């Protein structure tokens, strides 16, 4: 089964062709980073207009690279929630038009489900149940999955997302956008113990809070005025984020008695997070899965992968399918819907 995946929820216009949920025949990602860099963040209307310009050429390139004609596609998958509404509409409109013209199934995918399912592209035989840490520019969630398509939220951020903290602290340090990869690189040459930045402890909860850390970094940089090396600041900040992400995820894994944890989302590309999660989990006898870094950040192959596994479970949408700027991935365990 060949699925055409489409993703336009933020600042990447992406299309991919994935076979049987496991073989990536193509995964074209047109980044708009250059366009938004001068604003230090994404400008939604600029992103929407760029998606309109890029969507058809990107889909064509994905088909060409996969060596496949549009008629040879068996289903169309598209990320329809959550995201920038104007940006999502571009991908969803294209997906609806193609599915309708070809009379093929249309499958809507939640952005975070896409991130989680990027793990199945690297290893299609991952067994349930597991706990997944999903960390991106907009979300930081700990998700328990007992089976395909069921998502129970065990913890989430109460303020900034992890990626947002990377981006905002990078801006305070006078670095570029997006901040995550820049801090990751600088931190390689820094001392993670140089500055003791705060780690939020939210009682017995698995929730995160990064706003106090962000404020501490902004204050430190203003006070320090260059006395401490930028590499040490980057490494110490990164360590503070990663320590909490790993600790809460492994606590969730122990609470749920799972033998495997997954990491997903743009921040899952972070080298310190990947390293520390593996080290700590292995010492507890817990296996760790992570997509290759290129599949952690936004891409359309993840949409096609999620669609494949959920289509097999009977998930299918029609032309009336809508877009949503916000929508929780699943129920918060022990609480009403988020
Ligand atoms: O999932 P993603 O591509 O887009 C969203 O859904 O938000 O994640 C983007 C976020 C940005 O905040 C970016 O700074 C962060 O992921 N990121 C990283 C790394 N690569 C991307 N954060 C830390 N280390 C990285 N290597
Ligand atoms: Zn994302």
């Amino acid at each position: 089964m060949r699925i055409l995946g489409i993703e336009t929820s933020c600042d990447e216009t992406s299309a991919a062709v994935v076979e049987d949920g496991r073989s990536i025949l193509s995964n074209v990602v047109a980044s708009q980073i250059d366009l938004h860099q001068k604003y230090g963040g994404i400008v939604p209307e600029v992103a929407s207009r760029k998606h309109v310009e890029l969507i058809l050429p990107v889909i064509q390139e994905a088909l060409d690279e996969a060596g496949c004609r549009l008629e040879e596609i068996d289903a169309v998958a598209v990320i329809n929630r959550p995201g920038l509404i104007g940006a999502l509409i571009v991908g969803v409109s294209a997906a609806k038009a193609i599915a309708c013209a070809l009379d093929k199934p249309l499958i809507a995918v939640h952005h975070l489900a896409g991130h989680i399912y990027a793990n199945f592209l690297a290893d299609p035989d991952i067994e349930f149940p597991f706990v997944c840490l999903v960390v991106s520019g907009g979300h930081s969630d700990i998700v328990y999955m007992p089976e395909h398509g069921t998502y129970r939220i065990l913890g989430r951020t109460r303020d900034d997302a992890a990626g947002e903290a990377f981006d905002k602290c990078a801006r305070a340090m006078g670095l570029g956008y997006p901040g995550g990869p820049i801090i990751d690189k600088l931190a390689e040459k820094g001392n993670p113990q140089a500055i003791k930045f705060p780690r939020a402890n939210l009682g017995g909860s698995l929730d995160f809070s990064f706003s106090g850390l962000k404020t501490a970094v902004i204050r430190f940089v203003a006070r320090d005025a260059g006395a401490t090396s930028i590499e040490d600041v980057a490494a110490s900040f990164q360590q503070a984020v990663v320590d909490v992400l790993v600790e809460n995820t492994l606590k969730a894994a122990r609470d749920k008695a799972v033998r495997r944890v997954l990491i997903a989302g743009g921040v899952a590309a972070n080298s310190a997070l990947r390293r520390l999660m593996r080290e700590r989990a292995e010492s507890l006898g817990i296996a760790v899965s992570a997509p290759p870094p290129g599949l952690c950040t936004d891409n359309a192959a993840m949409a096609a992968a999620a669609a494949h596994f959920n289509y097999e479970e009977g998930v299918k949408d029609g032309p009336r399918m809508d877009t949503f700027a916000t929508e929780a991935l699943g129920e918060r365990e022990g609480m009403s819907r988020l």
Side-chain angles (χ1 to χ4, degrees):
M1 182 180 188
R2 282 182 176 181
I3 298 186
L4 171 67
I6 296 175
E7 145 71 350
T8 60
S9 66
C10 194
D11 62 338
E12 256 101 28
T13 316
S14 182
V17 180
V18 174
E19 195 161 53
D20 298 331
R22 52 187 76 204
S23 308
I24 302 177
L25 304 185
S26 63
N27 191 17
V28 178
V29 182
S31 169
Q32 302 181 6
I33 283 178
D34 293 350
L35 198 60
H36 300 278
Q37 222 149 22
K38 59 176 176 285
Y39 305 108
I42 295 151
V43 184
E45 189 51 29
V46 173
S48 312
R49 284 164 196 254
K50 198 68 189 170
H51 284 308
V52 172
E53 230 177 279
L54 291 173
I55 189 72
L56 294 180
V58 164
I59 292 173
Q60 190 58 54
E61 197 178 328
L63 291 167
D64 292 347
E65 248 185 53
C68 152
R69 289 179 298 118
L70 202 50
E71 299 73 35
E72 291 170 313
I73 291 296
D74 298 301
V76 184
V78 64
I79 289 178
N80 73 330
R81 65 197 193 281
L84 302 172
I85 203 77
L88 285 167
I89 286 171
V90 178
V92 167
S93 306
K96 281 184 182 179
I98 294 170
C100 192
L102 297 178
D103 195 21
K104 294 283 156 89
L106 178 65
I107 306 154
V109 175
H110 191 289
H111 186 80
L112 300 186
H115 276 307
I116 295 173
Y117 275 90
N119 276 278
F120 286 80
L121 289 167
D123 177 6
D125 301 317
I126 291 174
E127 286 182 4
F128 294 88
F130 56 74
V131 161
C132 183
L133 170 71
V134 195
V135 266
S136 68
H139 297 85
S140 297
D141 290 354
I142 298 178
V143 183
Y144 171 66
M145 282 187 74
E147 62 193 352
H148 282 298
T150 302
Y151 310 91
R152 304 224 179 98
I153 313 299
L154 305 179
R156 59 167 179 177
T157 184
R158 293 194 185 168
D159 40 56
D160 292 345
E164 195 180 352
F166 269 97
D167 295 338
K168 288 180 174 168
C169 288
R171 197 194 307 195
M173 287 184 234
L175 306 170
Y177 176 86
I182 304 172
I183 289 184
D184 193 353
K185 189 101 199 80
L186 281 173
E188 281 171 20
K189 299 198 188 79
N191 172 9
Q193 316 302 335
I195 310 143
K196 188 84 189 129
F197 284 126
R199 277 95 169 133
N201 178 353
L202 302 174
S205 160
L206 294 171
D207 285 354
F208 303 109
S209 167
F210 295 111
S211 66
L213 169 62
K214 179 188 68 186
T215 307
V217 171
I218 293 171
R219 286 211 181 122
F220 181 89
V221 172
R223 232 184 311 116
D224 185 68
T228 311
S229 82
I230 197 76
E231 287 83 0
D232 281 357
V233 181
S236 301
F237 157 75
Q238 178 174 273
Q239 192 64 42
V241 176
V242 167
D243 276 350
V244 185
L245 294 178
V246 171
E247 188 181 322
N248 287 13
T249 306
L250 293 180
K251 185 167 184 312
R254 285 198 304 269
D255 287 354
K256 287 285 170 199
V258 297
R259 307 310 310 155
R260 178 170 295 277
V261 299
L262 275 56
I263 56 174
V267 182
N270 184 267
S271 53
L273 173 62
R274 298 167 81 88
R275 198 167 45 239
L276 192 71
M277 188 69 89
R278 289 218 156 86
E279 267 170 36
R280 297 263 167 89
E282 271 164 25
S283 71
L284 298 168
I286 296 172
V288 177
S289 298
L295 290 177
C296 288
T297 43
D298 292 348
N299 67 87
M302 71 189 200
H308 173 83
F309 290 101
N310 291 294
Y311 184 70
E312 284 189 336
E313 308 286 311
V315 175
K316 201 177 144 195
D317 298 274
R320 299 174 78 93
M321 176 259 282
D322 212 343
T323 47
F324 302 91
T326 55
E327 172 150 325
L329 176 62
E331 303 281 320
R332 172 118 179 162
E333 199 157 274
M335 291 173 84
S336 55
R337 199 170 167 75
L338 286 172

